[in-house]
Amino acid sequence: MRNIIKAIELIYSFHWIKEETSSFLKEKIFKNHILAIIEELKHEKLTSQEYKNVEYAINSDIFKNGIFDFFLNPNDYKINIRDLSVVLNMAIYGHSDNTLNINKLVDISVYIIKKLRVRSISCEYFKLFLEKIGKTTDFIERACDTIEIREIHKSKRLTIQTYFNIYSSDNYFEEITIYYPGEGKSWLDWTEENSLKVHVFKYDIPKGFFLYGFDYYSDIRGKIRFATRTNEKNFSILKNIRAKRLFGFNRKYAESYQ
């Protein structure tokens, strides 16, 4: 194990392969830890359909290429129970007015965060990766206000706002207005009432930020093309480039959204 850790440190010291190493370790953490935690949920008090819903949510863009990817980037974001519960809800039900049983949703999120924190402490390469992006295990927050979380999930508006505020910071200058379906609606009316503004850094926006059924308008770039889960050309954030194969995968280059 020590040799593996030294190899990772050496690899990370070379700027030209740093991005590939980062992608490799993110995928390794996702497979060896996130999916393993979800597998453990089979032994919890979940129905077969509930487990399938959670499994689907964890493998969706909104989690894997959204909050999970954002957490493993060099920023000040701390993953927490409130945000995870919102992500699970949004991944399963999108922008509908339905929701999982709120208590069960909170319990599942508490379980995942608790297990993730333990694994981030016990796994050397996980802990090392966090250190390399300027984070510690304290960036996995266990404390939560369950009353606050329940109130969020009772409101479609609060659920959506909480999700997009994950990626917003007053330190970022680009303002994006997001239009979403209002309470009891499945369509956009492009009104101020059913919209929110977030401040983002475009190179730190994960793919999961763009969701089907929402419109985005940048104060710098104007209207961002309508985003769907099936047509990635509308919001290309990552583009695979044919390049020399390193460690079994291709290099990826960040590409600004249109």
Side-chain angles (χ1 to χ4, degrees):
M1 177 60 74
R2 288 183 178 178
N3 290 335
I4 294 176
I5 301 303
K6 288 181 179 179
I8 292 173
E9 289 179 327
L10 179 62
I11 290 170
Y12 231 83
S13 66
F14 291 97
H15 177 76
W16 64 284
I17 59 175
K18 183 175 180 179
E19 187 178 344
E20 287 77 4
T21 306
S22 177
S23 297
F24 173 76
L25 288 176
K26 284 182 181 180
E27 187 64 25
K28 188 176 178 67
I29 291 169
F30 180 78
K31 289 181 177 179
N32 292 353
H33 296 290
I34 298 297
L35 294 185
I37 292 171
I38 302 307
E39 182 70 19
E40 292 172 5
L41 278 172
K42 282 185 177 180
H43 305 295
E44 299 300 309
K45 294 181 179 180
L46 297 179
T47 66
S48 175
Q49 188 57 52
E50 286 171 341
Y51 176 78
K52 288 179 180 178
N53 286 342
V54 174
E55 186 178 40
Y56 167 79
I58 291 298
N59 283 282
S60 68
D61 277 345
I62 195 171
F63 177 84
K64 184 178 181 181
N65 297 313
I67 188 176
F68 176 72
D69 185 59
F70 191 65
F71 165 61
L72 293 182
N73 281 346
N75 51 43
D76 59 1
Y77 176 68
K78 297 181 179 181
I79 195 167
N80 57 77
I81 293 164
R82 179 199 62 198
D83 292 351
L84 177 59
S85 69
V86 165
V87 165
L88 295 179
N89 194 352
M90 292 277 287
I92 296 168
Y93 289 106
H95 52 71
S96 74
D97 293 289
N98 297 319
T99 184
L100 286 165
N101 176 285
I102 294 176
N103 291 328
K104 189 157 287 188
L105 195 62
V106 174
D107 289 344
I108 292 170
S109 301
V110 168
Y111 182 88
I112 294 173
I113 290 295
K114 179 182 177 180
K115 292 290 185 178
L116 185 63
R117 184 178 171 86
V118 170
R119 286 170 173 268
S120 72
I121 295 172
S122 61
C123 176
E124 288 297 327
Y125 70 78
F126 194 167
K127 185 163 58 176
L128 175 64
F129 182 82
L130 290 178
E131 291 174 0
K132 291 301 180 182
I133 60 174
K135 295 187 175 184
T136 66
T137 54
D138 290 335
F139 278 73
I140 303 174
E141 294 187 334
R142 292 176 297 178
C144 72
D145 183 338
T146 56
I147 295 177
E148 176 202 22
I149 294 175
R150 289 186 178 89
E151 290 303 310
I152 289 172
H153 287 285
K154 290 177 183 177
S155 167
K156 178 178 173 181
R157 178 183 179 85
L158 287 177
T159 300
I160 292 173
Q161 288 181 338
T162 300
Y163 175 71
F164 285 107
N165 280 329
I166 290 173
Y167 307 109
S168 183
S169 171
D170 292 337
N171 296 323
Y172 300 149
F173 299 105
E174 184 165 4
E175 182 179 87
I176 292 183
T177 302
I178 303 167
Y179 296 95
Y180 58 85
E183 298 284 352
K185 299 178 180 178
S186 59
W187 64 89
L188 299 176
D189 57 16
W190 294 280
T191 62
E192 184 176 352
E193 178 185 2
N194 295 319
S195 69
L196 69 143
K197 298 181 186 297
V198 295
H199 292 88
V200 301
F201 177 52
K202 72 175 184 178
Y203 294 112
D204 202 28
I205 299 177
K207 181 180 176 184
F209 176 83
F210 295 95
L211 304 178
Y212 176 79
F214 297 76
D215 258 358
Y216 303 78
Y217 186 91
S218 166
D219 66 339
I220 295 176
R221 274 157 257 282
K223 183 176 175 63
I224 301 173
R225 291 186 182 181
F226 185 74
T228 72
R229 292 192 179 112
T230 57
N231 188 356
E232 296 186 8
K233 292 181 180 179
N234 286 338
F235 58 96
S236 295
I237 297 298
L238 292 178
K239 181 179 180 181
N240 287 317
I241 305 294
R242 287 188 177 277
K244 181 179 179 181
R245 278 193 169 274
L246 297 169
F247 307 104
F249 52 86
N250 287 325
R251 300 186 66 180
K252 291 182 177 180
Y253 291 83
E255 182 176 81
S256 62
Y257 52 77
Q258 299 180 14

